[in-house]
Amino acid sequence: MNEVLMKVQDLSKHFTIETNFLGKPLSVLKAVDEVSFTIKKGEAFGLVGESGCGKTTLGKILVDLYSPTSGKIFFEGKELSALNKKQRRSYCKDIQMIFQDPYASLNPRMTIGDIIAEPIIINNLLPPSEVEERVIYLLNCVGLARHQRNRYPHEFSGGQRQRVGIARALAVEPKLIVCDEPVSALDVSIQAQVLNLLDDLKAEFGLTYLFIAHGLNVVKHISDRVGVMYLGKLMEIAPKRELYANPLNPYTQALLSAIPIINPEKKKERIILKGDVPSPINPPSGCRFCSRCFKELDRCKLNAPALREVSPDHWVACHLYD
Amino acid sequence: MLLEVKNLRTEFKLKRGTVTAVDDISFTIDKGEILAIVGESGSGKSVTSLSIMGLLQKPGRVAGGEINFKSQDLNKMSQKELQKIRGNQISMIFQEPMTSLNPVWRIKDQIMENIMTHMNISKKDALARTVEMLDTVGIPSPAERANDYPHQMSGGMRQRVMTAMALSCDPELLIADEPTTALDVTIQAQILELLYRMREKFNMAVLLITHDLGVVSEAADRVIVMYCGKIVEEADVKSLFAQPLHPYTVGLLKSIPQIDDESDERLYMIKGMVPNPLNMPSGCSFSDRCDSCMDRCTKEVPKLQEINGHKVRCFLYEAKEGELNVK
Ligand SMILES: Nc1ncnc2c1ncn2[C@@H]1O[C@H](COP(=O)(O)OP(=O)(O)OP(=O)(O)O)[C@@H](O)[C@H]1O
Ligand SMILES: Nc1ncnc2c1ncn2[C@@H]1O[C@H](COP(=O)(O)OP(=O)(O)OP(=O)(O)O)[C@@H](O)[C@H]1O
Ligand code: SF4
Ligand SMILES: [Mg+2]
Ligand SMILES: [Mg+2]
């Protein structure tokens, strides 16, 4: 599992918030700001971080729903960001996304069976006579039953709709799936089914995942390596056990300390972050976390720390480890 | 008692037959209490809250029962009377923010409208209140972000906009349907802290629907577990986690990935699938998935029994002389 499947280099996505009367941008929101990392073939790369830090935006760039402001994306060694629209489209099937908001991403006028069948038919993956069997197989895979095939999305609960989204992504047999909060709408028993399913598919077909989630226990279970984002930047990347046992960046430390525990008798010691949540519109100069950091040094305000490898495979962006 | 739900039954009349999404459930919430509902996806949690709010969409309808809020039956009220209560005395954070935020309106206009409908204040003050609320839920640069349209915000920000809107009129009862699923744990802790503050300040009660048992454990006073439209267990939060009784609850707790688990073993799964609501197993609705299923379970429907405040619907237990006995 050392072959690189996807490599991202200095990737940025800026949104223009206001323009002046000439159309010149007045304020720019840096949703993703010079992010670099690799995803190896067959691994699950977990991505965690503060709400609004740019995880979904990053995922949407990888599946070509947003075009990056700058930076490069390589997939199987090929530079996707250098391809034209038509060439790029031939990679769309290989990189699929399971969306965070299942309701907004399912066509309300199609039955769920047709929603799953559509990408199979469009991409000509199976002879028409075999499509239906495949649809039922996929429904079963995600814990839905044959009798639900002809229902419409609004007839399902939130968690059930999320499973339809997962089945649709699996339908085209992609190589990489960007899973954006795929299980947070599910109860823990179905969550277990879906996580086991994702694990099986990974083992069986060598599928690779970029797994975005807030549930740190879920991320630990499913991932091989984990990246931590804060305000558009990657703050730390490490193999999962290393990250959970030995978090280096103070933001990672605060995040791990806030995991709720299932024991009402026990109260946990939390690192409470001071200060206001900074905005990606006017991010603090220097380290993005410095306005809330509890270990801040003088130089943190002045210049941004680079992501550096401080021990084998453990990368951190923080001046404490210069 | 602030809210009393009594024998509530909510049905969806479909061509294929009638789905009973909520099947004869009863519970109460006191002022200042946080009651959590957990349960299988599709077990009727959202439908319960929509029934309380009077916001069911056709073909759904409340087929029976009472919903008493401060001793008035909400189910007997006209939509006009309900509108005065909704967003004011009772407000709701919806499970899917994108379906309840208007995509073509700026965030601030949506929150301001709610404030101005229920509070007698000027437009300027309503805007100030809106920005203050966005700040309270941790939206950075709240004055600027108030001008955003919903699609310009991240999933977690939209969820917090819903929270800001729901809390903007200091409700007596907040129904929060998965209010923190899209939030990272630090902001989640902040939102739970905010709910606590609202309860201290205004004695606000919360009906908290969530899949996150960590959140339940930290935030709730009491917990209801639902399966297939029915309450299968109810207890105060400490007893529920210390001594879960119903086989479904036990299965749920076993399915959670443990943060201190260093093995890469497969997760425990409750066997089988949720039954077709039009074709429920006879007897106990969990019987086809239960490891303890007995002969009797497939023939009779177990009743919800209560001893010392801990309720359970399962034949493994029998209430006798003030004690629950395990068979
Ligand atoms: N289309 C857009 N136009 C303007 N701003 C946007 C747009 N999409 C996202 N943003 C902004 O970019 C930032 C990152 O958003 P993103 O959705 O990537 O966050 P996220 O990490 O997925 O958060 P969450 O965990 O809450 O889903 C946010 O400040 C968001 O408001
Ligand atoms: N418009 C509808 N038509 C038909 N059935 C419906 C409709 N809305 C809901 N249902 C059914 O009612 C049941 C309860 O749904 P509900 O949304 O309350 O589940 P839930 O417990 O909130 O689940 P989740 O945790 O996944 O959100 C589901 O089985 C669903 O299929
Ligand atoms: S009543 Fe029987 S089938 Fe139902 S949960 Fe109890 S033991 Fe299992
Ligand atoms: Mg997101
Ligand atoms: Mg729901």
PDB file of all heavy atoms in Angstrom, chain A residues 15 29 31 50-57 66 100 214 280, chain B residues 145 151-157 182, ligand 1:
ATOM      1  N   PHE A  15     -13.039  32.044  -2.622  1.00  0.00           N
ATOM      2  CA  PHE A  15     -14.336  32.537  -3.100  1.00  0.00           C
ATOM      3  C   PHE A  15     -14.354  34.053  -2.987  1.00  0.00           C
ATOM      4  O   PHE A  15     -13.932  34.604  -1.977  1.00  0.00           O
ATOM      5  CB  PHE A  15     -15.485  31.976  -2.261  1.00  0.00           C
ATOM      6  CG  PHE A  15     -15.665  30.498  -2.391  1.00  0.00           C
ATOM      7  CD1 PHE A  15     -15.249  29.627  -1.390  1.00  0.00           C
ATOM      8  CD2 PHE A  15     -16.270  29.964  -3.530  1.00  0.00           C
ATOM      9  CE1 PHE A  15     -15.426  28.259  -1.513  1.00  0.00           C
ATOM     10  CE2 PHE A  15     -16.447  28.594  -3.658  1.00  0.00           C
ATOM     11  CZ  PHE A  15     -16.025  27.740  -2.646  1.00  0.00           C
ATOM     12  N   LEU A  29     -12.604  35.002   0.329  1.00  0.00           N
ATOM     13  CA  LEU A  29     -12.665  34.000   1.380  1.00  0.00           C
ATOM     14  C   LEU A  29     -11.763  32.837   0.985  1.00  0.00           C
ATOM     15  O   LEU A  29     -11.966  32.206  -0.055  1.00  0.00           O
ATOM     16  CB  LEU A  29     -14.127  33.555   1.523  1.00  0.00           C
ATOM     17  CG  LEU A  29     -14.490  32.595   2.654  1.00  0.00           C
ATOM     18  CD1 LEU A  29     -15.948  32.795   3.024  1.00  0.00           C
ATOM     19  CD2 LEU A  29     -14.237  31.160   2.283  1.00  0.00           C
ATOM     20  N   ALA A  31     -11.131  29.494   1.354  1.00  0.00           N
ATOM     21  CA  ALA A  31     -11.735  28.278   1.912  1.00  0.00           C
ATOM     22  C   ALA A  31     -10.688  27.169   2.046  1.00  0.00           C
ATOM     23  O   ALA A  31     -10.651  26.448   3.025  1.00  0.00           O
ATOM     24  CB  ALA A  31     -12.895  27.820   1.043  1.00  0.00           C
ATOM     25  N   GLU A  50     -12.291  21.748  12.097  1.00  0.00           N
ATOM     26  CA  GLU A  50     -13.373  22.616  12.525  1.00  0.00           C
ATOM     27  C   GLU A  50     -14.422  22.796  11.435  1.00  0.00           C
ATOM     28  O   GLU A  50     -14.112  22.829  10.253  1.00  0.00           O
ATOM     29  CB  GLU A  50     -12.770  23.971  12.887  1.00  0.00           C
ATOM     30  CG  GLU A  50     -13.769  24.915  13.485  1.00  0.00           C
ATOM     31  CD  GLU A  50     -13.110  25.901  14.422  1.00  0.00           C
ATOM     32  OE1 GLU A  50     -12.335  26.735  13.929  1.00  0.00           O
ATOM     33  OE2 GLU A  50     -13.351  25.819  15.623  1.00  0.00           O
ATOM     34  N   SER A  51     -15.659  22.931  11.874  1.00  0.00           N
ATOM     35  CA  SER A  51     -16.732  23.211  10.937  1.00  0.00           C
ATOM     36  C   SER A  51     -16.414  24.487  10.157  1.00  0.00           C
ATOM     37  O   SER A  51     -16.085  25.511  10.745  1.00  0.00           O
ATOM     38  CB  SER A  51     -18.032  23.378  11.727  1.00  0.00           C
ATOM     39  OG  SER A  51     -19.005  23.967  10.918  1.00  0.00           O
ATOM     40  N   GLY A  52     -16.481  24.409   8.833  1.00  0.00           N
ATOM     41  CA  GLY A  52     -16.196  25.575   8.000  1.00  0.00           C
ATOM     42  C   GLY A  52     -14.736  25.721   7.618  1.00  0.00           C
ATOM     43  O   GLY A  52     -14.346  26.711   7.021  1.00  0.00           O
ATOM     44  N   CYS A  53     -13.901  24.710   7.918  1.00  0.00           N
ATOM     45  CA  CYS A  53     -12.468  24.870   7.653  1.00  0.00           C
ATOM     46  C   CYS A  53     -12.090  24.511   6.213  1.00  0.00           C
ATOM     47  O   CYS A  53     -10.946  24.669   5.821  1.00  0.00           O
ATOM     48  CB  CYS A  53     -11.641  24.029   8.629  1.00  0.00           C
ATOM     49  SG  CYS A  53     -11.776  22.267   8.335  1.00  0.00           S
ATOM     50  N   GLY A  54     -13.041  24.009   5.427  1.00  0.00           N
ATOM     51  CA  GLY A  54     -12.749  23.786   4.019  1.00  0.00           C
ATOM     52  C   GLY A  54     -12.733  22.335   3.565  1.00  0.00           C
ATOM     53  O   GLY A  54     -12.317  22.035   2.447  1.00  0.00           O
ATOM     54  N   LYS A  55     -13.225  21.422   4.379  1.00  0.00           N
ATOM     55  CA  LYS A  55     -13.165  20.004   4.038  1.00  0.00           C
ATOM     56  C   LYS A  55     -14.043  19.677   2.827  1.00  0.00           C
ATOM     57  O   LYS A  55     -13.597  19.013   1.881  1.00  0.00           O
ATOM     58  CB  LYS A  55     -13.597  19.141   5.241  1.00  0.00           C
ATOM     59  CG  LYS A  55     -12.788  19.411   6.492  1.00  0.00           C
ATOM     60  CD  LYS A  55     -13.266  18.595   7.672  1.00  0.00           C
ATOM     61  CE  LYS A  55     -14.689  18.891   8.104  1.00  0.00           C
ATOM     62  NZ  LYS A  55     -14.913  20.228   8.648  1.00  0.00           N
ATOM     63  N   THR A  56     -15.290  20.136   2.857  1.00  0.00           N
ATOM     64  CA  THR A  56     -16.196  19.860   1.744  1.00  0.00           C
ATOM     65  C   THR A  56     -15.690  20.525   0.465  1.00  0.00           C
ATOM     66  O   THR A  56     -15.713  19.926  -0.616  1.00  0.00           O
ATOM     67  CB  THR A  56     -17.620  20.352   2.078  1.00  0.00           C
ATOM     68  OG1 THR A  56     -18.079  19.646   3.239  1.00  0.00           O
ATOM     69  CG2 THR A  56     -18.586  20.099   0.938  1.00  0.00           C
ATOM     70  N   THR A  57     -15.199  21.746   0.604  1.00  0.00           N
ATOM     71  CA  THR A  57     -14.670  22.454  -0.564  1.00  0.00           C
ATOM     72  C   THR A  57     -13.526  21.654  -1.183  1.00  0.00           C
ATOM     73  O   THR A  57     -13.468  21.461  -2.401  1.00  0.00           O
ATOM     74  CB  THR A  57     -14.180  23.857  -0.150  1.00  0.00           C
ATOM     75  OG1 THR A  57     -15.254  24.545   0.486  1.00  0.00           O
ATOM     76  CG2 THR A  57     -13.708  24.655  -1.354  1.00  0.00           C
ATOM     77  N   TYR A  66     -15.789  21.950  -8.101  1.00  0.00           N
ATOM     78  CA  TYR A  66     -15.211  23.293  -8.064  1.00  0.00           C
ATOM     79  C   TYR A  66     -13.895  23.213  -8.803  1.00  0.00           C
ATOM     80  O   TYR A  66     -13.190  22.212  -8.710  1.00  0.00           O
ATOM     81  CB  TYR A  66     -14.893  23.724  -6.631  1.00  0.00           C
ATOM     82  CG  TYR A  66     -16.067  24.094  -5.753  1.00  0.00           C
ATOM     83  CD1 TYR A  66     -16.009  23.875  -4.380  1.00  0.00           C
ATOM     84  CD2 TYR A  66     -17.206  24.702  -6.276  1.00  0.00           C
ATOM     85  CE1 TYR A  66     -17.055  24.231  -3.550  1.00  0.00           C
ATOM     86  CE2 TYR A  66     -18.259  25.057  -5.448  1.00  0.00           C
ATOM     87  CZ  TYR A  66     -18.189  24.817  -4.089  1.00  0.00           C
ATOM     88  OH  TYR A  66     -19.210  25.172  -3.262  1.00  0.00           O
ATOM     89  N   GLN A 100     -22.537  15.373   1.920  1.00  0.00           N
ATOM     90  CA  GLN A 100     -22.884  15.661   3.297  1.00  0.00           C
ATOM     91  C   GLN A 100     -24.393  15.834   3.463  1.00  0.00           C
ATOM     92  O   GLN A 100     -24.970  15.393   4.441  1.00  0.00           O
ATOM     93  CB  GLN A 100     -22.164  16.954   3.694  1.00  0.00           C
ATOM     94  CG  GLN A 100     -22.295  17.344   5.136  1.00  0.00           C
ATOM     95  CD  GLN A 100     -21.342  18.498   5.483  1.00  0.00           C
ATOM     96  OE1 GLN A 100     -20.730  19.101   4.608  1.00  0.00           O
ATOM     97  NE2 GLN A 100     -21.209  18.778   6.752  1.00  0.00           N
ATOM     98  N   HIS A 214     -16.716  14.236  11.438  1.00  0.00           N
ATOM     99  CA  HIS A 214     -16.497  14.867  12.737  1.00  0.00           C
ATOM    100  C   HIS A 214     -16.401  13.838  13.853  1.00  0.00           C
ATOM    101  O   HIS A 214     -15.877  14.128  14.911  1.00  0.00           O
ATOM    102  CB  HIS A 214     -17.630  15.839  13.046  1.00  0.00           C
ATOM    103  CG  HIS A 214     -17.601  17.060  12.205  1.00  0.00           C
ATOM    104  ND1 HIS A 214     -16.485  17.865  12.124  1.00  0.00           N
ATOM    105  CD2 HIS A 214     -18.511  17.617  11.390  1.00  0.00           C
ATOM    106  CE1 HIS A 214     -16.730  18.863  11.307  1.00  0.00           C
ATOM    107  NE2 HIS A 214     -17.953  18.732  10.836  1.00  0.00           N
ATOM    108  N   PRO A 280     -12.315  32.932   7.699  1.00  0.00           N
ATOM    109  CA  PRO A 280     -11.469  32.734   6.510  1.00  0.00           C
ATOM    110  C   PRO A 280     -11.449  33.971   5.611  1.00  0.00           C
ATOM    111  O   PRO A 280     -10.686  34.037   4.667  1.00  0.00           O
ATOM    112  CB  PRO A 280     -12.130  31.546   5.801  1.00  0.00           C
ATOM    113  CG  PRO A 280     -13.519  31.470   6.339  1.00  0.00           C
ATOM    114  CD  PRO A 280     -13.489  32.077   7.707  1.00  0.00           C
TER     115      PRO A 280
ATOM    116  N   ARG B 145     -21.153  37.653   7.582  1.00  0.00           N
ATOM    117  CA  ARG B 145     -21.736  36.380   7.156  1.00  0.00           C
ATOM    118  C   ARG B 145     -23.251  36.415   7.151  1.00  0.00           C
ATOM    119  O   ARG B 145     -23.900  35.595   6.499  1.00  0.00           O
ATOM    120  CB  ARG B 145     -21.243  35.219   8.029  1.00  0.00           C
ATOM    121  CG  ARG B 145     -19.740  34.965   7.995  1.00  0.00           C
ATOM    122  CD  ARG B 145     -19.131  34.897   6.613  1.00  0.00           C
ATOM    123  NE  ARG B 145     -19.502  33.773   5.799  1.00  0.00           N
ATOM    124  CZ  ARG B 145     -18.759  32.676   5.635  1.00  0.00           C
ATOM    125  NH1 ARG B 145     -17.610  32.550   6.243  1.00  0.00           N
ATOM    126  NH2 ARG B 145     -19.162  31.705   4.846  1.00  0.00           N
ATOM    127  N   HIS B 151     -26.232  28.609   0.511  1.00  0.00           N
ATOM    128  CA  HIS B 151     -25.266  27.758  -0.196  1.00  0.00           C
ATOM    129  C   HIS B 151     -23.838  28.255  -0.019  1.00  0.00           C
ATOM    130  O   HIS B 151     -22.889  27.550  -0.345  1.00  0.00           O
ATOM    131  CB  HIS B 151     -25.616  27.664  -1.687  1.00  0.00           C
ATOM    132  CG  HIS B 151     -25.226  28.884  -2.472  1.00  0.00           C
ATOM    133  ND1 HIS B 151     -26.073  29.941  -2.638  1.00  0.00           N
ATOM    134  CD2 HIS B 151     -24.075  29.222  -3.085  1.00  0.00           C
ATOM    135  CE1 HIS B 151     -25.452  30.886  -3.332  1.00  0.00           C
ATOM    136  NE2 HIS B 151     -24.236  30.473  -3.618  1.00  0.00           N
ATOM    137  N   GLN B 152     -23.675  29.473   0.489  1.00  0.00           N
ATOM    138  CA  GLN B 152     -22.319  29.978   0.687  1.00  0.00           C
ATOM    139  C   GLN B 152     -21.740  29.543   2.032  1.00  0.00           C
ATOM    140  O   GLN B 152     -20.606  29.864   2.347  1.00  0.00           O
ATOM    141  CB  GLN B 152     -22.330  31.511   0.608  1.00  0.00           C
ATOM    142  CG  GLN B 152     -22.690  32.012  -0.774  1.00  0.00           C
ATOM    143  CD  GLN B 152     -22.808  33.518  -0.810  1.00  0.00           C
ATOM    144  OE1 GLN B 152     -23.510  34.117   0.003  1.00  0.00           O
ATOM    145  NE2 GLN B 152     -22.115  34.139  -1.740  1.00  0.00           N
ATOM    146  N   MET B 153     -22.542  28.845   2.815  1.00  0.00           N
ATOM    147  CA  MET B 153     -22.055  28.437   4.125  1.00  0.00           C
ATOM    148  C   MET B 153     -21.726  26.945   4.130  1.00  0.00           C
ATOM    149  O   MET B 153     -22.263  26.185   3.335  1.00  0.00           O
ATOM    150  CB  MET B 153     -23.117  28.708   5.168  1.00  0.00           C
ATOM    151  CG  MET B 153     -23.462  30.179   5.251  1.00  0.00           C
ATOM    152  SD  MET B 153     -24.264  30.530   6.798  1.00  0.00           S
ATOM    153  CE  MET B 153     -23.314  31.908   7.365  1.00  0.00           C
ATOM    154  N   SER B 154     -20.879  26.544   5.060  1.00  0.00           N
ATOM    155  CA  SER B 154     -20.568  25.125   5.187  1.00  0.00           C
ATOM    156  C   SER B 154     -21.727  24.420   5.878  1.00  0.00           C
ATOM    157  O   SER B 154     -22.613  25.066   6.449  1.00  0.00           O
ATOM    158  CB  SER B 154     -19.285  24.947   5.998  1.00  0.00           C
ATOM    159  OG  SER B 154     -19.553  25.101   7.369  1.00  0.00           O
ATOM    160  N   GLY B 155     -21.730  23.090   5.817  1.00  0.00           N
ATOM    161  CA  GLY B 155     -22.810  22.307   6.413  1.00  0.00           C
ATOM    162  C   GLY B 155     -23.036  22.660   7.880  1.00  0.00           C
ATOM    163  O   GLY B 155     -24.165  22.874   8.326  1.00  0.00           O
ATOM    164  N   GLY B 156     -21.952  22.738   8.631  1.00  0.00           N
ATOM    165  CA  GLY B 156     -22.054  23.025  10.056  1.00  0.00           C
ATOM    166  C   GLY B 156     -22.506  24.450  10.327  1.00  0.00           C
ATOM    167  O   GLY B 156     -23.175  24.730  11.326  1.00  0.00           O
ATOM    168  N   MET B 157     -22.145  25.372   9.437  1.00  0.00           N
ATOM    169  CA  MET B 157     -22.571  26.760   9.618  1.00  0.00           C
ATOM    170  C   MET B 157     -24.079  26.873   9.393  1.00  0.00           C
ATOM    171  O   MET B 157     -24.783  27.574  10.118  1.00  0.00           O
ATOM    172  CB  MET B 157     -21.805  27.680   8.667  1.00  0.00           C
ATOM    173  CG  MET B 157     -20.338  27.815   9.043  1.00  0.00           C
ATOM    174  SD  MET B 157     -19.339  28.390   7.676  1.00  0.00           S
ATOM    175  CE  MET B 157     -19.473  30.119   7.883  1.00  0.00           C
ATOM    176  N   ALA B 182     -23.365  17.996  12.127  1.00  0.00           N
ATOM    177  CA  ALA B 182     -22.418  18.523  11.145  1.00  0.00           C
ATOM    178  C   ALA B 182     -21.317  19.336  11.812  1.00  0.00           C
ATOM    179  O   ALA B 182     -20.588  20.048  11.148  1.00  0.00           O
ATOM    180  CB  ALA B 182     -23.149  19.378  10.106  1.00  0.00           C
TER     181      ALA B 182
HETATM  182  N1  LIG C   1     -19.985  28.494  -2.928  1.00  0.00           N
HETATM  183  C1  LIG C   1     -19.426  29.195  -1.924  1.00  0.00           C
HETATM  184  N2  LIG C   1     -19.381  30.547  -1.960  1.00  0.00           N
HETATM  185  C2  LIG C   1     -18.812  31.252  -0.939  1.00  0.00           C
HETATM  186  N3  LIG C   1     -18.253  30.685   0.144  1.00  0.00           N
HETATM  187  C3  LIG C   1     -18.253  29.356   0.225  1.00  0.00           C
HETATM  188  C4  LIG C   1     -18.844  28.530  -0.785  1.00  0.00           C
HETATM  189  N4  LIG C   1     -18.708  27.226  -0.430  1.00  0.00           N
HETATM  190  C5  LIG C   1     -18.082  27.243   0.766  1.00  0.00           C
HETATM  191  N5  LIG C   1     -17.800  28.514   1.159  1.00  0.00           N
HETATM  192  C6  LIG C   1     -17.111  28.917   2.396  1.00  0.00           C
HETATM  193  O1  LIG C   1     -15.878  28.231   2.470  1.00  0.00           O
HETATM  194  C7  LIG C   1     -15.568  27.859   3.813  1.00  0.00           C
HETATM  195  C8  LIG C   1     -15.320  26.360   3.874  1.00  0.00           C
HETATM  196  O2  LIG C   1     -16.541  25.658   3.638  1.00  0.00           O
HETATM  197  P1  LIG C   1     -16.670  24.070   3.599  1.00  0.00           P
HETATM  198  O3  LIG C   1     -18.067  23.742   3.242  1.00  0.00           O
HETATM  199  O4  LIG C   1     -15.595  23.520   2.755  1.00  0.00           O
HETATM  200  O5  LIG C   1     -16.371  23.721   5.133  1.00  0.00           O
HETATM  201  P2  LIG C   1     -16.356  22.289   5.853  1.00  0.00           P
HETATM  202  O6  LIG C   1     -14.996  22.103   6.403  1.00  0.00           O
HETATM  203  O7  LIG C   1     -16.907  21.243   4.969  1.00  0.00           O
HETATM  204  O8  LIG C   1     -17.337  22.565   7.084  1.00  0.00           O
HETATM  205  P3  LIG C   1     -18.457  21.614   7.758  1.00  0.00           P
HETATM  206  O9  LIG C   1     -17.705  20.696   8.634  1.00  0.00           O
HETATM  207  O10 LIG C   1     -19.263  22.613   8.557  1.00  0.00           O
HETATM  208  O11 LIG C   1     -19.232  20.970   6.669  1.00  0.00           O
HETATM  209  C9  LIG C   1     -16.748  28.337   4.659  1.00  0.00           C
HETATM  210  O12 LIG C   1     -16.431  29.563   5.264  1.00  0.00           O
HETATM  211  C10 LIG C   1     -17.858  28.495   3.648  1.00  0.00           C
HETATM  212  O13 LIG C   1     -18.777  29.462   4.062  1.00  0.00           O
END
